[in-house]
Amino acid sequence: MAQLDRFLNILVSNNASALNLSEGEVATVMIKDSPRPVMKQALTSGQILTLVREISPTDAPHALDLNGTVRFEYSSTDGNFEVTLTQNGKISARIEPRARVAAGVSSTAARPEMAPTSPPAEPPRAPEAKLVTPKVEQAPIPVAQSEVTRAAPGVAVGQDRALERIEALLRKLVGNKASDLHLRAGSPPLLRASGEIEPIGGEPALSSEDIDTMLASLMLEQNRLEFKEINDTDFAHEIVGLARFRGNALRDRKGTGAVFRAIPAAVVTVEQMGLSQEVQRLCHLTKGLVLVTGPTGSGKSTTLCALIDLINRTRSDHVITIEDPIEFVHESKKCLITQRHVGVHTSSFKHALRAALREDPDIVLVGELRDLETVSMAIETAETGHLVFGTVHTSTAVSTVDRVIDQFPPDRQAQIRVMLSESLKGVISQVLCKKIGGGRVAAREIMLSTPSVSNLIREGKTFQLPSVLQTSRRLGMVTMNDALIDLVDQGQVEPREAYLKATDKVGIINLLKQRGKDVSFADTDEVKAANAAKEADGPAKPAGKAAPGRTAPSR
């Protein structure tokens, strides 16, 4: 079954007049002369070519290369269709039911903006004609260097092969259960699996030109322009039925490079993630700010995906997500889901967040709180009666509060402390650890809003927050050290891995020594500090009463 068949089924079942595929836009069907989207992600030229070439006669791709326009017929279980593929600065395709074309009601003729601009419309053709390539009477329209061009058939063939090559590498990324694919000039493709980077066996070293061609087959025109101007760009790619991928293109001293991260096609649930009931209850709030934090690659997006999915299954609200790029795709279940890609559907996080307030939202997800104005608007949105989720690149819950406040100038920090103390409902800080036997597992520090937490934020005494987390485990709060030592106790993580991921090295050494674990891998000075702290506490010091800055033993 061709990938395009599922769109044709939508076309027929809705009695639509045409299916439109256009580079840089989402796929749409025409229902009563009105376009209706059938997907959320904008298409690239490479994706359109792949979809159409899968159903085209053998000589159709070559006709496109030479003339820029091709028409052919395609039959599927849903009927007979006429396919028109054009290139006038960008790739587009239009698929119409053959019955409408034969009856003389082609919507291409009725809507001039969708008609090919190069040759005039051709006369009606005999039903047996399978391929028509109109003559081109004008000069070829110049396009981007990596685009399919009319005058150079080899370029189109090269781009098509480049798309096949990069998608083959992405399939290996998924097949090896790796998280990232790295492409660098002068090196073979590399995969990151379980935190380790290794080359893909049997793959030759890539040149900068190889990577340029592969990236051009995936990126939208605006990404190509951005990459040309600033040597960096973020984009997304989807292999239908396999997975979505978040990509970043870059240039370094050796030439072009890229990194792709695999995003599972299936939405991850809170049950699969093992999120506690206290964290799940944050999804039932009507207003407030919930932050998911951690270093790059710590699984923040996956955690947010699980929380949005829970909302989508249990509430009847409007959810707006603002992401760069869109990672997990959420289909509307009980909720109405609106997903916007920064750079494609909106110019920036702050503009999208400002516009969201006029779009009747109940829940807003901000992919990244990256600047002062975005942080300020997120807090104000939470204050005005909306539930806001966001991410920050910090390693602990306490440092997250400090980072948010420090974004503001000193004369505004007192006001922001008051606003944050009222609006902040929870902070989930996580880090991924190498799991014994392969794979990775998340350790999560959880801070929830209580009167004592709010009071310390309001008074600027965030240095006392670790003590509150240590003594409030019964309320669902967990320190990072307790989360790490729990994974050690469960046999999921090695003591050395817990030590490397901990921010409080002295505290984690104390907890490991209490369990009789070998800590010879630790820094000597930190071991001495842990011993001194243990002696200062004394043998009778009860658990959970540690002084600020030291971690209480896990219960």
Side-chain angles (χ1 to χ4, degrees):
M1 177 179 176
Q3 296 182 45
L4 200 59
D5 286 349
R6 65 191 185 97
F7 293 112
L8 297 179
N9 180 262
I10 296 174
L11 186 155
V12 172
S13 60
N14 286 277
N15 196 27
S17 59
L19 167 68
N20 292 323
L21 311 175
S22 185
E23 179 184 353
E25 301 176 13
V26 299
T28 60
V29 293
M30 299 298 296
I31 301 175
K32 296 182 179 178
D33 293 329
S34 176
R36 305 287 178 87
V38 293
M39 62 186 301
K40 290 182 175 153
Q41 184 66 30
L43 293 163
T44 66
S45 59
Q47 288 172 324
I48 296 172
L49 287 172
T50 299
L51 289 169
V52 174
R53 283 189 167 124
E54 189 179 5
I55 65 169
S56 66
T58 351
D59 49 349
H62 303 288
L64 169 66
D65 299 336
L66 292 170
N67 301 310
T69 302
V70 64
R71 293 185 178 89
F72 60 88
E73 292 180 13
Y74 171 65
S75 297
S76 76
T77 55
D78 291 299
N80 298 321
F81 302 89
E82 181 177 275
V83 182
T84 304
L85 187 63
T86 61
Q87 178 204 332
N88 292 304
K90 65 179 183 179
I91 299 291
S92 62
R94 186 176 182 84
I95 298 93
E96 300 174 89
R98 190 72 185 92
R100 290 180 60 86
V101 178
V105 292
S106 169
S107 53
T108 302
R111 295 175 61 85
E113 70 275 12
M114 295 304 300
T117 57
S118 298
E122 61 173 6
R125 295 172 289 110
E128 65 273 14
K130 292 296 180 183
L131 180 65
V132 178
T133 54
K135 295 180 180 179
V136 178
E137 300 175 354
Q138 63 185 56
I141 299 174
V143 293
Q145 179 180 359
S146 56
E147 280 288 278
V148 181
T149 62
R150 300 177 184 180
V155 175
V157 174
Q159 187 192 27
D160 206 28
R161 289 174 180 165
L163 180 63
E164 292 175 2
R165 187 177 182 188
I166 184 63
E167 288 197 338
L169 292 175
L170 293 174
R171 290 179 191 280
K172 289 184 178 180
L173 167 62
V174 175
N176 285 277
K177 298 182 179 179
S179 60
D180 300 89
L181 168 68
H182 289 260
L183 306 179
R184 289 294 183 277
S187 302
L190 303 107
L191 295 180
R192 181 187 291 275
S194 299
E196 302 291 335
I197 293 182
E198 294 182 356
I200 300 176
E203 288 288 339
L206 299 170
S207 67
S208 184
E209 292 73 19
D210 290 336
I211 301 173
D212 272 324
T213 308
M214 287 191 285
L215 292 178
S217 70
L218 299 181
M219 293 193 295
L220 299 173
E221 179 63 23
Q222 63 192 45
N223 291 111
R224 289 192 284 268
L225 293 174
E226 183 180 36
F227 188 43
K228 183 178 180 181
E229 291 173 6
I230 65 173
N231 294 328
D232 286 288
T233 188
D234 295 314
F235 57 96
H237 181 66
E238 180 177 5
I239 299 179
V240 178
L242 180 68
R244 288 172 53 79
F245 303 89
R246 182 181 69 196
N248 173 267
L250 59 102
R251 297 196 197 278
D252 63 7
R253 64 185 180 86
K254 292 186 176 182
T256 303
V259 182
F260 292 88
R261 170 153 297 172
I263 303 165
V267 172
V268 185
T269 66
V270 290
E271 292 80 14
Q272 293 169 328
M273 292 282 292
L275 295 175
S276 66
Q277 289 296 321
E278 290 79 10
V279 171
Q280 293 183 37
R281 277 198 284 270
L282 295 172
C283 297
H284 302 297
L285 297 171
T286 56
K287 64 178 182 178
L289 178 65
V290 178
L291 299 177
V292 180
T293 78
T296 301
S298 60
K300 300 185 295 294
S301 298
T302 308
T303 298
L304 280 174
C305 165
L307 296 177
I308 294 299
D309 175 68
L310 179 61
I311 291 171
N312 196 14
R313 288 186 284 125
T314 58
R315 298 177 60 166
S316 300
D317 291 314
H318 182 200
V319 181
I320 298 177
T321 75
I322 307 165
E323 305 169 77
D324 184 19
I326 294 172
E327 297 188 22
F328 291 92
V329 174
H330 296 271
E331 298 296 340
S332 297
K333 295 176 183 174
K334 292 190 69 176
C335 289
L336 169 64
I337 306 288
T338 302
Q339 293 188 267
R340 306 190 71 191
H341 180 177
V342 173
V344 176
H345 308 127
T346 181
S347 60
S348 66
F349 281 104
K350 59 186 178 184
H351 291 154
L353 193 51
R354 184 181 296 113
L357 293 177
R358 300 187 294 273
E359 293 161 1
D360 187 33
D362 298 287
I363 298 102
V364 180
L365 183 150
V366 186
E368 188 175 342
L369 300 175
R370 59 173 57 163
D371 55 51
L372 170 61
E373 190 169 356
T374 306
V375 172
S376 178
M377 288 207 62
I379 295 175
E380 290 173 11
T381 303
E383 287 268 291
T384 55
H386 302 85
L387 181 58
V388 179
F389 291 88
T391 68
V392 184
H393 288 92
T394 49
S395 54
T396 67
V398 177
S399 62
T400 301
V401 176
D402 292 331
R403 173 74 62 85
V404 171
I405 294 172
D406 289 343
Q407 289 260 18
F408 295 85
D411 61 328
R412 288 192 62 191
Q413 288 184 4
Q415 175 196 3
I416 293 302
R417 275 197 295 268
V418 173
M419 294 176 66
L420 196 61
S421 68
E422 296 173 352
S423 62
L424 187 63
K425 301 302 180 184
V427 180
I428 306 161
S429 296
Q430 63 183 51
V431 64
L432 289 182
C433 304
K434 293 178 185 177
K435 197 173 180 181
I436 296 174
R440 291 195 284 180
V441 62
R444 298 185 182 89
E445 179 173 84
I446 300 169
M447 183 176 76
L448 304 172
S449 177
T450 63
S452 56
V453 168
S454 298
N455 189 52
L456 291 176
I457 294 174
R458 185 183 303 108
E459 295 181 1
K461 298 179 180 179
T462 54
F463 62 89
Q464 294 182 16
L465 287 174
S467 297
V468 177
L469 266 65
Q470 291 169 0
T471 57
S472 303
R473 192 156 185 171
R474 68 187 185 281
L475 301 177
M477 299 198 211
V478 184
T479 66
M480 183 58 74
N481 276 1
D482 282 345
L484 289 167
I485 207 68
D486 284 347
L487 294 176
V488 173
D489 290 342
Q490 294 164 15
Q492 295 193 61
V493 169
E494 295 283 359
R496 184 176 184 275
E497 178 70 6
Y499 167 79
L500 292 174
K501 297 297 184 182
T503 52
D504 176 12
K505 305 291 188 186
V506 174
I508 198 70
I509 290 172
N510 262 328
L511 292 171
L512 290 171
K513 291 183 73 174
Q514 289 173 9
R515 287 157 173 76
K517 303 293 184 181
D518 179 16
V519 293
S520 57
F521 50 77
D523 182 86
T524 307
D525 292 337
E526 289 170 345
V527 173
K528 289 179 179 178
N531 290 335
K534 187 175 180 181
E535 292 173 4
D537 285 344
K541 193 77 172 179
K545 300 294 183 180
R550 294 203 293 272
T551 306
S554 175
R555 287 179 285 184

